[in-house]
């Protein structure tokens, strides 16, 4: 009973510890989510062109900690310095720390892996799930 009362009491600085901590946790646990349409067949048959996927932004400080999975990577186009590309692929091994690059693998055997240098990466989103996909 005393412990519960202490948690709910105001701190000496005047704010409610429990409420402030709850707000902080909610803020920190709500990553940016977006739905994007997949174009192209590099992830076929797992993700079909025209499908919509839910993707969650990976904070820049966590890029080197990304585990294997399907990701969307926004990166600078080497040929056109003012353009950005977005590629969806499977990261099998994160080599940002060791080799300063990420390799996106395609689920479609006819596509080669895509290597993206760390300095060209502008954003990484983890593809969480397929939201809609045509049924054939």
């Amino acid at each position: 009973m005393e412990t519960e009362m202490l948690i709910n009491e105001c701190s000496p600085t005047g704010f409610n510890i429990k409420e402030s901590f709850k707000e902080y946790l909610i803020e920190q646990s709500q990553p940016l989510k977006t739905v994007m349409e997949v174009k192209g067949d590099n992830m076929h048959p797992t993700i079909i062109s025209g499908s919509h996927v839910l993707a969650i932004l990976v904070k820049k400080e966590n890029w080197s900690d990304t585990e294997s999975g399907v990701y969307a990577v926004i990166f600078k186009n080497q040929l056109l310095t003012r353009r950005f590309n977005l590629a969806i692929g499977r990261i099998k091994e994160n080599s940002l720390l060791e080799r300063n690059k990420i390799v996106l693998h395609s689920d479609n055997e006819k596509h080669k892996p895509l290597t993206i240098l760390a300095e060209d990466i502008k954003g990484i989103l983890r593809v969480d799930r397929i939201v809609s996909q045509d049924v054939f």
Side-chain angles (χ1 to χ4, degrees), residues 107-123:
D107 283 0
N108 189 333
E109 294 174 4
K110 72 178 187 178
H111 292 281
K112 294 180 182 177
L114 174 65
T115 301
I116 305 169
L117 298 176
E119 64 202 40
D120 294 333
I121 297 172
K122 299 300 173 199

Side-chain angles (χ1 to χ4, degrees), residues 10 75 98 100 117:
C10 287
F75 61 99
E98 301 84 21
N100 216 25
L117 298 176

Side-chain angles (χ1 to χ4, degrees), residues 36-47:
M36 59 178 66
E37 183 176 0
V38 175
K39 295 189 179 194
D41 66 348
N42 68 312
M43 288 305 292
H44 188 274
T46 309
I47 304 172

